[in-house]
Every structure is written in structure tokens, then in C-alpha cells.
Amino acid sequence: MTTKDYPSLWGFGTTKTFKIPVEHLDFKYIEKCSDVKHLEKILCVLRSGEEGYYPELTEFCEKRLKGLAPESRALRKDKPAATASSFTAEEWEKIDGDIKSWVSEIKNEENKIYFHETETFPVVEDNLPPVRGSNSRLHVSKEKYSNSRPTKKKIPRDYAEWDKFDVEKECSKIDEDYKEKAVINNKSHLSKIETRIDTAGLTEKEKTSLATREKEKGNEAFKSGDYEEAVMYYTRSISVLPNVVAYNNRAQAELKLQNWNSAFQDCEKVLELEPGNLKALLRRATTYKHQNKLQEAIEDLNKVLNVEPDNELAKKTLLEVERDLKNSKPAPKTETKGKRMVIQEVENSEDEGGKDSRRKHEDNSGDKKGAEPAGARGAAEPCAMGNIQKKLTGKSEGGKRSERGAPRRGRSPGAGADKRGRPRASAAAAEGGASRHPGGGRGAGDPTAAPPSPAAPLGPAGLKSQGNELFRSGQFPEATLKYSAAIAQLEPAGSGSADDLSILYSNRAACYLKEGNCSGCIQDCTRALELHPFSIKPLLRRAMAYETLEQYQKAYVDYKTVLQMDCTIQLANDSINRITRILMNLDGPSWREKLSPIPAVPTSTHLRAWQPATETPPDQVGDSCSHSQPGITDEKMFKTLKEEGNQCVKDKNYKDALSKYIECLKINNKECAIYTNRALCYLKLCQFEEAKQDCDRALEIDNRNVKACYRRALAHKGLKDYQKSLNDLNKVLLLDSSIIEAKMELEEVTRLLKDNASFNKEKERRKIEIQEVNEGHEEEPERTSEEVSSDCFATRKEDTTNGAPAYGETLPIARPTNAYEFGQVINAISTRNDKEACAHLLAVTEPKDLPVLLSNKLEGDTFLLLIQSLKNNLIGKDPSLVYQHLFYLSKAERFKMMLTLISKGQKEQIEQLFDDLSDTPNKHYTLEDVQALRRKYEL
Amino acid sequence: MSAFEKPQIISHIQKGLNYTVFDCKWVPCSAKFVTMGNFARGTGVIQLYEIQHGDLKLLREIEKAKPIKCGTFGATSLQQRYLATGDFAGNLHIWNLEAPEIPVYSVKGHKEIINTIDGVGGLGIGEGAPEIVTGSRDGTVKVWDPRQKDDPVANMEPVQGENKRDCWTVAFGNAYNQEERVVCAGYDNGDIKLFDLRNMSLRWETNIKNGVCSLEFDRKDISMNKLVATSLEGKFHVFDMRTQHPTKGFASVSEKAHKSTVWQVRHLPQNRELFLTAGGAGSLHLWKYEYPIQRSKKDSEGVEMGVAGSVSLLQNVTLSTQPISSLDWSPDKRGLCICSSFDQMAERTTLYRSEAAPHLGPL
């Protein structure tokens, strides 16, 4: 190689060569000029000094160019390498010190390794693969090629290799090779990477460097988005030397791949090796979040925030989780309302002096069961059971309610026989819907937490238990009335019944809190506290009410007081954390000074601390005792029950698992996982109807739950309702196209559907109808009104079956909250090319969120889809929204890139859209705005 | 902190030498490096330096009969650290620097000067056997296994009668498991050829119009990811080697880097997306490769094809007026590198050490 110095392109530039008019070398011209190429040329001329030396103009030109094209090559200047003089003494000391310390470090290591030099290296030789083509070097060395046609030759194998010859593998390899000619798969190498590295004969130093190297490879693969490859390299790194960083990074890669479970395990591993590792905690929180273990996620996130209060990611995730938690609450509530009304109609139709008999019944059960308030409910339900189960099939509420109640039948002896219970039954059924209120489960425990005292007069006690009942079933206004009545009766009794009054006030406060009547709640709590100072529940409720009213200081004081009595109350702990942050934001560092003094709690009241959960073994937890457990222990019990249930499932003991899950649901009926798990049990026990209902329920809580959807498909299949099964499976695949089981089921169901084609759907539906009516007659011969209603439900059901396929086909579009959700929806939409759905999505999305939601995932087809749906569906309805969307779309990350990639036809579409936009003037934007935007779209 | 806004290239130690330096290489796991070149009297020289107290100390000077053009530690174990060299007479030698009198391995591999050498399978980098590849002016590219005397294990040469092209650069890659391995060779006419050693086939070839001065895969020991090729007229090309289209080959992005020939390209061993190019006018440019959102897409017929990313210049400096002939990153200290240049006259060669700022990109 010889040194040839090629003349530079710019070096000899003159005005003649560039043909620039001399007047362009002018401040005004340069200021206006936006042609980068032209500016580059001007700069070049200026620098060359051809037309004279104008340092200021040159500098001005550089600035202008920098503003237009910061990456311009003309701006690259030769400069000498930095030396000690380019830095401050301090910086240089750092740089120099860094090198010096490395030098001494590496020398030490070198001495360590090469002290034993000769002893170690023969081992290495043994590990090496054979010399390439050692038996055939003559052939190989004659390997030739030409520019036009390369010759190809395989190396003949040596004998050792023939021993390992695997015919099938070789055949498939040939197949692979064949395929490779057409398409060279860029993922194929993944399977060929060994996940373990043979480290025999390596020194520690070599192992460390090997592990580090593999980890670095993982990091690089991760950064370029090859997450599977990254996982592979981290695994290799771990196989050499298990290390925290590799585990932690692998967890991150698994998160990206949405392998929540593997990620979780890696996080656990890290936390085992290094407890309190923040990254691992954060990542575990993410896995929890996605596995719907929101409470655990919050715990982890709080741990992170305790150490690093400014951790942005943790804050963000916490907000998301809290929102999820909230969302999972109100969602079912609103839906229940509608359904409850339907059932209430039934109640009205048979309300023959229901109130009297209800009270009688209440007394009766009170006699029989003493102070067990839940007994009343248990007694009432079984009668309802028969009716409702027949009446309500499909997605109706009552069915589920009754089935949840079913096991209770066994535990409330003699209750089923009570005929007077029937009027209540419908009420119970009606409340059944309401009790789905997510807070209901936990909240329900509270009013009954204090068992009615036998000394209290019967009236108030009865009223109270009725109130508790109503509260538990979510009918808060009614419960409030009952409590008020009870209070009115007790008030004159004076100090003798102070305790009971306090409880009543406290319970009414709970009702108010649920209703959102915060001031009422605060009043009642204050009264309850006057009667009985330092009791936890009123304090907690008042704190919550204060917090809702944004009186954070008062809320803080109350929570603190609660924590003085019982520091294990998670709710209070979490709230304190939350409020502390809020107060710090509001009042700055001196926020504590603004607090009113926190009352000191006399030690005697500590005895009111709640019973620890361990006192009641979970197995024996019946209705009453589970309800008498306060919320926190409920949670613990919920967990243990759930785990036991899961264990039972693992042991294939589905019946026991079923009962565990049912217990779980009594404590907390808002957790999606329990429903899906119970559905699994039902499926295994071939109780498809119940399974289906559970899945419905789970899907109401979490609309995108793949498991629930899949299991409902199985249940539908079991019920021979193949069309619905098909719909569900399609939905599953829409949510996650990688589920192989779903694909297989889909095939099978499609086949079954074809086979069943002769069996008309309508026929099937009628058959079920008849069955229902028949059953109704058998069990409830005397109830004619029931028949009517069951008929009416049958027609209802017809509606739903007709509606169901349509439901399966339209995408449920909610307002996306993060880029992931948005991406999912967009993907689903673009696979169906459903512009209407896209328009809907755009209509519900805030335009200014668009860049965030799109993140860096803006692709050609997405872009086109957005444009098309704006053009076709939205421009007529809301041109200002279209403008906003277009405006923010142009701020999306990959927008510029997109513009270079779109075709002419697509550009025309955008052009049309802009034309439409300028034709429909609006006060939200002017024509100039549209023009400016048009320029952004390079039109 | 203005100095640290972007990575800096800092000159630490410079030293003038009394011979022409063709190549320099760090000794793995140490603060030492070797320089190779020729004395004015026409003999070859290998010098071993060590950084001591902020200066360079010459530990050993070995004089050999023929000028030494290139060298590598790529095929040796960390424990042995033998240096493989190619000289002007076409000899491949492997030296034990502790006992350099007689080579550990010696073969007359080529008829003419060995321009370039690369090694793989040693130092824990790359799976499989340790192998050395040499490229020579005689137009052949030969792969050697130090365990086999006298003959190469693979030989890639033009068919008889065809013009022999001067091979200027070779590079190993794709050594992610025991079987897979490729050699990429660049020639004076702008040809780049990719040989698959597993199948013993020519997998891909292209021409970049100007002589190929330097080739390097971003990593040797992963499934081919990126390949950088620098050329005589001041451009370099980055190929995305993950997706090969049956007719279009690999996607690439090119960038005009220097005002004259780009003699060398070297990827940072600790971060494959960063690489340094050394230009004819004594300039060093530090680049960062950024991936496109999707690295492959389907063409009109539904066949996968790669999508090239983009490169951005992080820093550029000029070290001397004369070309930088060689460049090597320290495998042990992130951001530390040596480079040698022909300064003013061939006899007075200066050695630079440069370092990119301590925080060179993330990770």
C-alpha cells in the first residue's frame, strides 16, 4: 500500500467552480438562505479566502448552517487531539489518575496470572476442536473461486465426526441450506448459540473476563433490540460465573420479551444474591404489575422510592399500578348497576310485603345462629339459587352470584329449608350483583367486624345486622338508612351503649365513604371517636375521607395515629408514604411544621390492635370468622388461600382448589386471577357453565385477560357453543398471537363447527330454552311469575347470543394509557385494517399524547392507517381534532424517517387530507397553521 | 464540564521512533503493546513497550531479517500471548515474546508480502479452533491453524489465468459457535469477498469501487452483525450483516469520513456500536452506529432484506499531517488506544496514545 493523498473535494472550491454570485456572500442573503448545500458552498468559498477574508461572515455562515443542519460535513473542523492543557487541572487529574490506577491494577493482575504460566496451558489444548479439514487439506487448499461463478465445496468429514453423524439432523440441515438460498433467516443463528460455555481449565481471571465479555455482548444485543439474543448471552455469562448484573440484565431482556415469569425468577435470584437491589425490585414490580399482582408491585415500588425518592421510573410505574388498581375497581361497579336493575325488577314483581317477612326471617336466623350475621345471607341464598341459576345463563350476574353462594349452603345448616327466606332471596340475588363491588369484599368485613353485642336491644342489633348485610352487598344508601335507624334507637340509651353507638357511627361512616359523602363520613367518624377515642377503623376512614377531600395534613395526622396503635396496617403505611410526598410537594421541606400535633395514643388502647391473622388457621375460616377479620388480615388470608388453591391445582386436586378459591372470592372478589383459576378448576371438573361464568367475570375485571378468554373458549367448546368458542379463540390470538394452544384449539373448534354445521344454531338455542323452563317447573312449580321472568331471560339470552359474534368482532377500544397499550391496539387494528376502529381510537386519544404513545414505533402501515382514518372517518366530524392529530403526529419520533419512506400515492393521500383540512375552516386553526403543517409534511 | 459534553480524544503520550511503524497491538491483559515495522537498513523490528509512570518504557527490541508488516494476538490463549506476524517476504511467524529468538511457528505462506493478518479463537474471543488468516499481494487468502505445520487449512485464491488482485485486508467473523466462521477479504480493486469457512463457499461479494483498506466485523464472536469497510477515496461503508437478501446482499450505509484514504477501522471492544477510523491526513474520527427501528423488512416479493442504520460522528481530531498507519484499542481498558503514524519522513515515526473520555457513551 502506498500513500496517496487525494485532493479534498472542498479544498479547491472557488466562486467559479461553485458558480455562486458574489452577492450571496452577504449577511442578509445567508440569513434567509435555507438551502443547506448552497450554504455549504458559500462557507467553503468564505473559508478558502478566495473572495477576501471575512471572519465574522464566516462565523455567521457557520452558525446559520449549524441551525439548519447540525450534522453537516462542512462544519467538521480539523482540530488537534485534546491534551492536558485542554482541561482544567481537576479534570486532567481525574483522567490521568484513571489511567495510572488502571496501569497499576492491570500489572498486578498480569503478575498473578503469569506466575503459574506453564502449568495451565496444556489443558486448553484438550478443549479445542480439531484442526479444520485436517484430513483433507489438499482438497481444501485447492479451493478456488472466480468473480463470475464461485465454486462451492464441502469439506469431507474426518472419522471422529462420522461417529457423531445424525442423519435426521443432517437432512434438516440440508433442508435449511436449501431454504437459506431463498431467504437467509436472520434469527436462525439463535438456536445455534450454545447456552453453556465449557470453562474447564480456565483460570479465574479468564472466567471473569469471559463472563464480562458475554455480558457485554448481551448488552449490545439488548441495545440493538435483539432481546432473544441478549437473553442467550446473559445465560452464557451466567453459565461461566453466576453474577448479579447478568441476572438483572436478563430480567430486563425477559421483560422486553414479556416473559414475566422468567423475569420474575431472575429478579428473585438477584434479590437473593443482593437483597435490596433497586433495579431488581423495580423489575420485579413490573412483573407483578403484568401478572396482576398489583399490591405486591406497589410494595416493591415503595421500597424503591424509600431509597430513591426521585426515581422517575418507579414513580411512573407506581402511578400506573395505582391507576390499574383503581380501574379494576370502578369498572365492574358501573356494569353491575345495569344488571342489578334487571334483577330488581324481578324482586318488585314478587314483593309481597317483603319487608315484614324479611325482618321476621332476620329475627329467625338471628335466633338460630346467634350473632352470626352472615348466616342470614347464607340462609336466604340457597332458595334463590335454584331460581337464578335457571333464570340467568350466559353473562348474567346472578348465576355467578349463586354459584359463589352455593358452597355456603352446606355451611349454614337448616337454612335452605327456611321458606320465609325466599322473599329475601331475590333481594340477596339483587345484592349479589352489587357485592361485586370490588371494595365490597374487603369493605364488607368491616361493619361486621364487631359482633353485635347481646346486651344491646334487639331492634338496633337487627337493624345493624341488616345494615351490615346491605353494606356488604353494596347497597350503601340503604345500609345508611338502617344504621341511622339503629342510631336513632340507641341514642337515648346514653353512655351505656356508647360502644355500640360508636360502631354504628363508624359503620355509617363507611357507608358515607363508599358513597363519596366525605364530610358525612368525617362527621360520623368524629362522633364515633368521641364515644370511643382511639379506635382504628373510624380513624382510618376519617383519614381516607380527608385524603379524598385533599386535606392531606389532617389525613396525615389520622394515619399517623392509626400507625401508633398498629404499625402493621399496610393501607396506612402506604397512605403515609403517598401523603408525605404530596405534602412535601405542596409545602416544601418544612411541611411538618404545618401539621397539627399528632395525638399520643395511651398504651391501654393498644389492646384494640387487630388480631393477627395467624390466630385463625385459614382452613377453618368460615363465613363469619372470615368477615370478622379486619381488612389487612383478610389480605393475608386471601394470599394464603390463593396459594393453597394454586397448590391444589398443581396436585390436580381440583375440588379442594375450587373451595379455596371460593373462600378467596369471599374475601376479595375483584381479583381476576382467582376467577381464571377457578374457571380452570371448573373446566377440569367439566363444569363448563360455571367455568364460563367465571371467565366472564374475569373478563369484566380485565378485558384483556388472555387466560380468561382462552378458558372461556374451552368452556364454550365444552358447552358445544363452537361459534362463541371460535370468537374467544380469535380474541386470544388477537391479544397474543404466539399462543400455540390457542391456535390448535382454533383449528379443532373450526373443524367441530364445520361438523356441526347441520345442527342449526337456532335449534341449539331453543333446546336450551326448553331445558331451562322445564327445570323451572320442576323445582319451583308454584311460582308462575318465575316462569315469566325466565322466559324473559331466555329472550334476553337470545339477544346476547345474537350479539356475541358481533361483540367478538369489534375491537374493544379504550383510551390507551401507554405506548404498549397503544401499540397493541394499533397492531390489532392494522391487522384488520379497520379504519373505523382506528378513527375511534384517535377520537379517544389526546392528540398531544400521540408522540409518547407512538414512541419509536411509527411505521409505514401505522402511519398510513392513521392518515387514512383521519381522512375517511374523522375529517367530517371534527376537523380541529384532525388538525391536532396531524400536528402532534409530526412531532412523533420517527416522523421524518416516515416521510422519506412513503410512496407517491401515499403522499397524495396526505395531500388530499390537507386539502380537506384547508377547506373546512375552523376557529381552532388558521389556514396559515395548515400551511405550516403542510410544510412539515413536506408537501 | 464543557469538555465532557461529548467524548474527547485525548493525547496522552507521544513518542518518536527511529523506524517505520506498520502495525501496533496491545498485549492482552497488560499495559504493554508491541510495535512492528522496518528499520531503514531493511530489517524487521518488533518492540515491546510498557506504560510506566506516565511514560513509555521499551522493554524489548527484537530485530528480524525481514520487515514486519502486520501482527495479531487474536489466535493465542490468554496464558500464552504469542504474537503472530506477517512479513515482507510472505512468512507467517508466531513468536513467544519471552523467548523471541526462534519462532514458535513458522511457515512461508505467501509468495509476496503479507499485507494483513487476523486471528480468532484465542483470548476467549470466538468459539472454535484458534485460526489465523493472512492476505497477501499474491492474491491469496490463507487460513492457518497453529497446530498444523506447513500448510494452510483453507486457501482462497483466484482461478488460474485471472488477474491476481492485491489483498489488502482480512477479517474473521461469525465465530459464534464451533462450526460457524467466516473470513472477509478486501482487495485493491474494491472487491469485498465473504468466505464461509463452514461450507467452504463464497457467501457474498460486492465492490465498493475503490481499494478496500480495512475491514472489521463489529464483533468476531457473534453471529455476523455489522461489517465496516474503509476505502481509498475517504469513504467507509457499514454493512448490516444480519439479513442477507438473495440478490441484493447486505444493506449498507456509507459515509464520507476523511479527506483522503481511510486506512484503518477499529471497533471499541467494549461497545460494538462505536468505532474509530484513521485517515490519511492524520485524522481520527470516532463514530457511532445507530440501528434503524426495524433491521429488516420484506421486499416486494416478500423476501427479507436488511435495512441499514445511520452513523453519526462523535468526535474528530487531527493528530498529524501524515497518514495514521495503524490503530488498536486496548482490550482491557475501555477507551484507551494506540495508533502509529508516518510522520513527516518515514524515518521519524511518532507514536500516539489517545483516549476517548472516561464516559464514552452509555454502559
Side-chain angles (χ1 to χ4, degrees), chain A residues 343-410:
Chain A
I343 306 166
Q344 266 171 344
E345 269 170 41
V346 181
E347 183 194 42
N348 290 340
S349 71
E350 51 182 35
D351 195 1
E352 330 134 304
K355 273 201 175 170
D356 274 3
S357 60
R358 196 179 301 179
R359 185 157 297 169
K360 271 186 204 163
H361 156 73
E362 213 70 80
D363 296 348
N364 186 7
S365 77
D367 289 347
K368 274 188 188 169
K369 315 201 88 203
E372 189 186 331
R377 185 157 147 240
E381 271 158 12
C383 306
M385 228 55 66
N387 297 344
I388 293 157
Q389 206 151 24
K390 277 163 280 143
K391 285 190 304 195
L392 310 173
T393 43
K395 288 171 185 171
S396 73
E397 259 320 298
K400 263 164 271 156
R401 171 81 186 104
S402 59
E403 153 229 299
R404 265 193 299 138
R408 244 175 249 156
R409 204 178 333 193

Side-chain angles (χ1 to χ4, degrees), chain A residues 326-344:
Chain A
K326 253 186 221 156
N327 284 350
S328 67
K329 278 177 189 174
K333 187 183 178 182
T334 47
E335 272 189 63
T336 348
K337 273 185 187 160
K339 281 184 182 146
R340 195 168 68 204
M341 281 192 30
V342 176
I343 306 166
Q344 266 171 344

Side-chain angles (χ1 to χ4, degrees), chain B residues 157-175:
Chain B
E157 62 183 342
V159 284
Q160 296 272 288
E162 218 173 90
N163 276 358
K164 285 176 184 172
R165 305 305 327 199
D166 192 347
C167 176
W168 280 357
T169 176
V170 288
F172 272 119
N174 210 26

